[in-house]
């Protein structure tokens, strides 16, 4: 019979193999869902485009985690691209009146792209960053940006308003 030590090494080897298969599957899924999302975006089926782009983003996060500081440049570029297209999706979808999610995706895309060292940047990074910055100037997003920066009025702050003395 195999010793517990032999069984443990076989188990860890198969576990490592499964992780590698999962990684390959997530990479393939991220790319294919992104491409499918682009097709749906171009054909105007924004719900399906959004679903596929969000799944692509999910796969990237499964592969690389949530901390953008740990991403390599290829991952930054891929996630920034997904975020840009999700922003496009929310802007183009007339059923969505509040464009705050579009603004959030564009801002995150810009933040990611700006985090890449210019010396290490792919040739089309500057072009992509300019495109995202232009999209942030869209008229549909102007009101959203103003609303987002404005703090909601609260009764708590009204309590501390100074009023003059009645003399």
């Amino acid at each position: 019979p195999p010793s517990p030590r032999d069984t443990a090494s076989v188990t860890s080897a198969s576990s490592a193999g499964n992780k590698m298969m999962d990684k390959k599957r997530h990479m393939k899924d991220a790319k294919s869902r992104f491409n499918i999302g682009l097709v749906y975006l171009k054909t105007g089926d924004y719900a399906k485009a959004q679903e596929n782009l969000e799944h692509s983003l999910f796969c990237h996060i499964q592969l690389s985690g949530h901390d953008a500081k740990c991403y390599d440049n290829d991952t930054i570029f891929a996630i920034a691209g997904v975020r840009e297209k999700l922003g496009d999706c929310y802007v183009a979808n007339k059923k969505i009146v509040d464009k705050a999610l579009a603004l959030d995706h564009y801002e995150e895309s810009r933040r990611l792209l700006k985090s890449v060292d210019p010396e290490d940047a792919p040739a089309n990074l500057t072009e992509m960053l300019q495109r995202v910055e232009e999209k942030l100037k869209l008229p549909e997003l102007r009101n959203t940006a103003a609303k987002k920066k404005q703090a909601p009025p609260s009764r708590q702050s009204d309590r501390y308003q100074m009023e003059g003395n009645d003399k």
Side-chain angles (χ1 to χ4, degrees), residues 60-80:
H60 282 294
I61 290 170
Q62 289 294 309
L63 286 165
S64 305
H66 286 278
D67 187 4
K69 293 175 187 157
C70 298
Y71 296 166
D72 61 19
N73 287 343
D74 290 338
T75 302
I76 288 173
F77 200 66
I79 293 176

Side-chain angles (χ1 to χ4, degrees), residues 3-73:
S3 72
R5 185 179 236 177
D6 293 340
T7 307
S9 65
V10 168
T11 304
S12 67
S14 67
S15 174
N18 286 341
K19 285 182 181 179
M20 192 58 135
M21 291 298 289
D22 281 349
K23 185 176 180 178
K24 285 182 180 178
R25 186 174 51 81
H26 282 305
M27 288 173 66
K28 183 179 176 184
D29 211 17
K31 288 178 185 176
S32 64
R33 288 294 192 112
F34 178 75
N35 290 330
I36 293 167
L38 290 181
V39 170
Y40 281 123
L41 183 60
K42 288 179 182 175
T43 60
D45 192 337
Y46 303 117
K48 287 184 180 178
Q50 179 185 336
E51 179 184 324
N52 281 282
L53 291 168
E54 285 176 351
H55 189 82
S56 175
L57 183 60
F58 169 78
C59 289
H60 282 294
I61 290 170
Q62 289 294 309
L63 286 165
S64 305
H66 286 278
D67 187 4
K69 293 175 187 157
C70 298
Y71 296 166
D72 61 19
N73 287 343

Side-chain angles (χ1 to χ4, degrees), residues 107-161:
E107 286 175 343
E108 181 61 12
S109 180
R110 177 177 61 186
R111 188 187 68 73
L112 286 167
L113 292 169
K114 284 186 170 187
S115 74
V116 175
D117 184 351
E119 291 180 19
D120 300 332
N124 53 348
L125 181 119
T126 305
E127 175 188 319
M128 188 174 177
L129 182 58
Q130 288 172 342
R131 194 172 61 230
V132 169
E133 287 181 337
E134 283 302 311
K135 290 175 181 181
L136 281 164
K137 296 174 187 173
L138 290 171
E140 298 95 311
L141 301 180
R142 283 199 190 119
N143 293 338
T144 303
K147 286 180 197 172
K148 195 173 171 187
K149 289 178 186 172
Q150 214 174 30
S154 73
R155 293 179 186 230
Q156 293 290 62
S157 63
D158 292 345
R159 189 181 305 173
Y160 300 105
Q161 290 292 80

